[in-house]
Amino acid sequence: MKEQIETLVKLQKIETETNHINTILNEVSNKINSLDTRLSSYEISISQAEESLNILKKKYRDLETDIDMNNQTINKGKDRLNGVKTNKEYQALLKGIDELNKKNFNIEEEMLTLMDQIEQTQNDIDKQKDEYENLKQEVHKEKQSIIQGSRQAQKKLSELDNARGKISAMIAPDLLKKFQMIKDQIPGPAIVPIKGIVCEGCNMNIPPQMRNDLKKFESLKFCPFCYRLIYWEEQKTD
Ligand SMILES: [Zn+2]
């Protein structure tokens, strides 16, 4: 019986390791997703900045057109100045030209402000693009190492599968069946050591008589509290 129990303990180690690797593999897709999210938030931010840059440039061009049109009107007005008959008409024309010049002055002020904003936005885009490129390379490297790691994990997993097959073949079928049943029904390990009189599966104290029986390794025992298979493990003294 002792040998069978030791084999079960080995099987449990394989199961525990398998679970651990599966947890890591499940995390891989989460990790990759969060890296992609970091990249795409940059992409969104850059395209928003580019959009506002286009709006600013369009505004700037519109103002340029306004100035052109005003200048044309001003020039026409100037041409007409020589031909006017009355002083009143002359004054009105001058006033109109003056107003348009003032308008142009204000538009030019506005264009200067826009120019600053365009420059700032462009700088911001350039900076973000630089950061994005760096991040992209970083993410690429990280992904490579994650993928590398998960390949190793897959390899380890298939090694564990092989080992499980071999070990399982060494265990009596009904014992293996019990082990599987506990494994399917109770989370965590199916077979746990008793240390002192404490079950390592549930931390409860088992009856002292049970511990004495366990030490003999004559029969299979179950924890009366968590129903896992239990076995006696020598306390290491150091
Ligand atoms: Zn227990």
Side-chain angles (χ1 to χ4, degrees):
M1 185 49 77
K2 193 175 181 192
E3 209 174 284
Q4 284 283 291
I5 288 170
E6 279 166 356
T7 313
L8 274 181
V9 172
K10 276 184 200 160
L11 181 59
Q12 182 57 57
K13 275 192 184 142
I14 290 169
E15 296 294 352
T16 306
E17 208 174 336
T18 302
N19 287 340
H20 177 64
I21 290 173
N22 278 328
T23 311
I24 290 171
L25 284 175
N26 288 337
E27 279 167 8
V28 163
S29 65
N30 286 341
K31 273 188 196 162
I32 287 184
N33 282 344
S34 84
L35 290 175
D36 285 340
T37 308
R38 274 173 72 196
L39 276 183
S40 66
S41 73
Y42 256 100
E43 284 161 14
I44 291 167
S45 160
I46 288 170
S47 80
Q48 279 170 348
E50 277 173 340
E51 207 176 301
S52 40
L53 181 66
N54 284 337
I55 292 169
L56 290 170
K57 281 180 175 171
K58 164 120 190 2
K59 253 190 205 166
Y60 189 88
R61 283 196 306 272
D62 287 348
L63 291 179
E64 263 179 340
T65 311
D66 287 350
I67 284 192
D68 278 351
M69 278 164 63
N70 287 343
N71 280 337
Q72 276 174 33
T73 316
I74 288 168
N75 287 334
K76 270 182 206 159
K78 277 178 182 167
D79 287 347
R80 279 173 58 205
L81 275 179
N82 296 323
V84 293
K85 301 277 185 314
T86 67
N87 188 42
K88 197 181 167 194
E89 216 180 322
Y90 190 81
Q91 291 301 332
L93 256 178
L94 270 187
K95 200 183 165 208
I97 290 170
D98 194 41
E99 271 168 10
L100 284 173
N101 275 326
K102 273 181 193 154
K103 262 189 194 168
N104 274 356
F105 179 79
N106 289 335
I107 293 173
E108 276 163 7
E109 290 281 296
E110 208 180 321
M111 282 169 79
L112 281 177
T113 311
L114 274 173
M115 192 82 104
D116 276 348
Q117 288 173 347
I118 287 170
E119 207 179 295
Q120 270 177 30
T121 311
Q122 186 62 61
N123 285 343
D124 177 49
I125 290 171
D126 291 346
K127 193 171 152 251
Q128 284 200 67
K129 278 186 172 169
D130 276 353
E131 287 169 1
Y132 175 74
E133 284 307 318
N134 288 338
L135 182 66
K136 212 169 152 186
Q137 284 179 14
E138 214 178 286
V139 164
H140 180 72
K141 270 188 213 157
E142 255 177 88
K143 273 187 182 174
Q144 290 298 105
S145 91
I146 288 170
I147 289 165
Q148 181 72 21
S150 82
R151 275 200 202 112
Q152 278 167 1
Q154 294 283 9
K155 198 175 156 229
K156 183 78 193 156
L157 215 52
S158 70
E159 285 169 13
L160 287 169
D161 273 346
N162 277 336
R164 182 190 294 107
K166 279 179 195 155
I167 297 256
S168 298
M170 291 158 65
I171 301 166
D174 56 330
L175 189 54
L176 190 61
K177 213 173 162 186
K178 270 180 194 151
F179 178 87
Q180 292 292 359
M181 241 171 67
I182 298 170
K183 196 189 102 180
D184 293 343
Q185 285 168 7
I186 306 169
I191 183 163
V192 290
I194 298 296
K195 288 187 172 168
I197 51 167
V198 180
C199 165
E200 211 170 64
C202 63
N203 285 323
M204 299 286 280
N205 292 350
I206 60 159
Q209 182 55 45
M210 201 170 192
R211 179 194 55 179
N212 295 338
D213 291 344
L214 278 173
K215 280 180 174 178
K216 293 176 196 154
F217 286 96
E218 281 170 350
S219 63
L220 215 55
K221 296 265 182 289
F222 299 88
C223 171
F225 307 103
C226 69
Y227 308 110
R228 290 181 174 92
L229 279 162
I230 47 178
Y231 64 99
W232 170 253
E233 190 177 78
E234 289 294 338
Q235 286 280 80
K236 280 187 192 120
T237 46
D238 45 7

